[in-house]
Amino acid sequence: MRAADIKKSLIVGAGVMGSSIALTFARVGIEVALVDLNEKSLDRAVRLIRSSLNTLADHGSISSDEIPSILDRIHFSTDLKTSAHEVDFAMEVVVEVEDVKKRVFSELDELIPEDAIIASNTSGLDIFRFAEIKRPERLVIAHWFAPAHIIPLVEVVPGPKTSPEVVHSTAELMKRLGKKPVVMKEFVRSFIVNRIQNYIAMAYFEILENGWATAEDIDLAVKTSLGIRLPIVGVVQNMDFTGLDLVLDLMKSYGASNAFIEQKVKQGHLGAKTSKGVYDYNGRSEEEILNKRDLLYLKMLDHLESINAYQPI
Ligand SMILES: NC(=O)c1ccc[n+]([C@@H]2O[C@H](COP(=O)([O-])OP(=O)(O)OC[C@H]3O[C@@H](n4cnc5c(N)ncnc54)[C@H](O)[C@@H]3O)[C@@H](O)[C@H]2O)c1
């Protein structure tokens, strides 16, 4: 199934994520069947989708004239069997409970056409271990981030039996939806972002629990430091600016080590100061590299201040 040929999608689970994902498909002209267990859940989905569309219109991302046709493309239903008819791409977005997901995968495998893709929005379950489906080559993870109609990233994660074509088509489809897919080489629990986020969570849980700082001060500290750097250098490239030799010394002072960093230091690839670290700066001078980074930081600062970003919501 090529991404460009996908005309009809099915989303199972019309909660926070399913509603937002349905809106994203419908926005680019793809028909969506949005399925949940009961009318109450579907009523909530209608309210959530309408409200999100209004926010997008308020911001100018869409015009309010487009809203009725986007809504017309979403077909709300409690009947999975009818909704699965002639579907090209199905997303499982039900609760994060192994048994529930397992049942949905089996139902989808029976009901949707043989060449249709089954993608799961699991936050980290090893669906490839427990899914019982006849065609495991068409099962893939497409992990979105809330609010799914706004945040660009979708992590595309293959299982041991997922076909490369399914991975490719899923990533291409995400691009068609206006997303920025990142394809992982293999499944690992929590993928990239939740893996990182989980470590951050452990740190602030500890600070809160011990009363070392207030919730407001933790958030302000993060917003006025990492919050400015992360969009420009991410987490990995940031080490090139710290200096990989310093990163290694810091790690040693905590009694830790890392073969990846040790090798870079051994090779003399210390970061911006040697024009090569984790990234290759192709012989550019340290001043040139820092100048480019700092202009971006200054623009980011101006922007964050202009939207009053340091205040709590
Ligand atoms: N909330 C987030 O920020 C977030 C982010 C990324 C991924 N996820 C993942 O997305 C999935 C859904 O999360 P959510 O936050 O939208 O949850 P939610 O509780 O808001 O929605 C889940 C929906 O699934 C429905 N459901 C349960 N069993 C069903 C079935 N058999 N058939 C049809 N519908 C069924 C429920 O009625 C509910 O409406 C989970 O796997 C979660 O881990 C959530």
Side-chain angles (χ1 to χ4, degrees):
M1 177 57 61
R2 288 174 46 230
D5 297 334
I6 290 169
K7 294 187 180 63
K8 194 175 166 202
S9 64
L10 166 64
I11 294 170
V12 188
V16 176
M17 295 302 284
S19 305
S20 194
I21 294 171
L23 177 171
T24 310
F25 275 78
R27 217 181 132 177
V28 301
I30 299 175
E31 293 292 323
V32 190
L34 180 58
V35 175
D36 208 300
L37 296 172
N38 51 53
E39 291 299 335
K40 195 172 164 224
S41 301
L42 293 178
D43 288 346
R44 178 174 173 239
V46 174
R47 285 198 306 276
L48 288 174
I49 291 172
R50 276 188 191 283
S51 165
S52 298
L53 286 170
N54 287 334
T55 307
L56 289 174
D58 287 347
H59 171 256
S61 305
I62 57 171
S63 96
S64 38
D65 299 347
E66 287 175 72
I67 293 179
S69 58
I70 295 173
L71 285 170
D72 279 351
R73 267 180 235 120
I74 307 176
H75 311 284
F76 299 85
S77 176
T78 52
D79 182 352
L80 181 60
K81 194 169 178 191
T82 319
S83 303
H85 189 60
E86 290 186 345
V87 152
D88 306 308
F89 188 91
M91 281 249 23
E92 170 281 305
V93 198
V94 300
V95 285
E96 189 81 345
V97 178
E98 181 170 325
D99 285 349
V100 180
K101 287 201 189 287
K102 188 171 169 173
R103 208 170 331 116
V104 170
F105 292 138
S106 300
E107 284 172 331
L108 287 174
D109 195 39
E110 286 301 318
L111 293 172
I112 65 172
E114 287 199 2
D115 62 343
I117 293 169
I118 304 175
S120 170
N121 189 45
T122 180
S123 296
L125 292 176
D126 186 356
I127 59 159
F128 306 110
R129 179 185 51 78
F130 64 76
E132 287 172 359
I133 61 172
K134 291 195 204 91
R135 300 171 202 87
E137 64 280 3
R138 63 161 159 177
L139 181 64
V140 68
I141 290 169
H143 179 241
W144 300 57
F145 288 78
H149 58 287
I150 296 178
I151 304 292
L153 176 65
V154 178
E155 293 168 323
V156 178
V157 187
K161 293 184 182 156
T162 313
S163 81
E165 294 74 33
V166 164
V167 176
H168 178 74
S169 294
T170 303
E172 288 301 305
L173 174 63
M174 295 306 126
K175 287 185 200 162
R176 198 179 144 198
L177 297 173
K179 296 290 151 187
K180 299 219 181 299
V182 168
V183 178
M184 287 191 76
K185 296 202 174 16
E186 61 181 289
F187 173 87
V188 59
R189 273 202 81 160
S190 305
F191 324 131
I192 299 171
V193 175
N194 283 351
R195 234 180 149 69
I196 294 171
Q197 203 165 242
N198 290 345
Y199 281 107
I200 295 179
M202 304 237 271
Y204 62 73
F205 289 160
E206 191 186 14
I207 300 171
L208 282 171
E209 197 168 58
N210 286 291
W212 293 331
T214 64
E216 289 77 9
D217 282 345
I218 298 169
D219 284 336
L220 185 63
V222 170
K223 286 185 190 190
T224 52
S225 58
L226 299 182
I228 295 153
R229 294 201 310 225
L230 280 176
I232 310 296
V233 294
V235 286
V236 180
Q237 193 177 27
N238 186 55
M239 293 194 295
D240 281 350
F241 295 100
T242 306
L244 293 170
D245 45 349
L246 174 55
V247 172
L248 191 60
D249 287 342
L250 284 167
M251 231 170 348
K252 282 182 185 159
S253 75
Y254 287 110
S257 66
N258 181 284
F260 178 84
I261 309 289
E262 272 169 19
Q263 200 195 351
K264 294 278 173 203
V265 173
K266 211 177 278 172
Q267 290 167 331
H269 299 156
L270 306 180
K273 60 189 164 192
T274 58
S275 201
K276 202 173 191 174
V278 182
Y279 286 69
D280 190 342
Y281 300 89
N282 297 312
R284 278 181 289 155
S285 71
E286 188 177 12
E287 302 84 86
E288 252 180 293
I289 303 164
L290 295 186
N291 171 265
K292 184 169 179 191
R293 179 200 66 176
D294 291 351
L295 285 172
L296 292 171
Y297 281 166
L298 288 164
K299 283 185 191 172
M300 181 58 64
L301 259 173
D302 287 347
H303 176 67
L304 292 173
E305 270 163 23
S306 76
I307 61 168
N308 213 2
Y310 304 135
Q311 292 299 315
I313 301 291

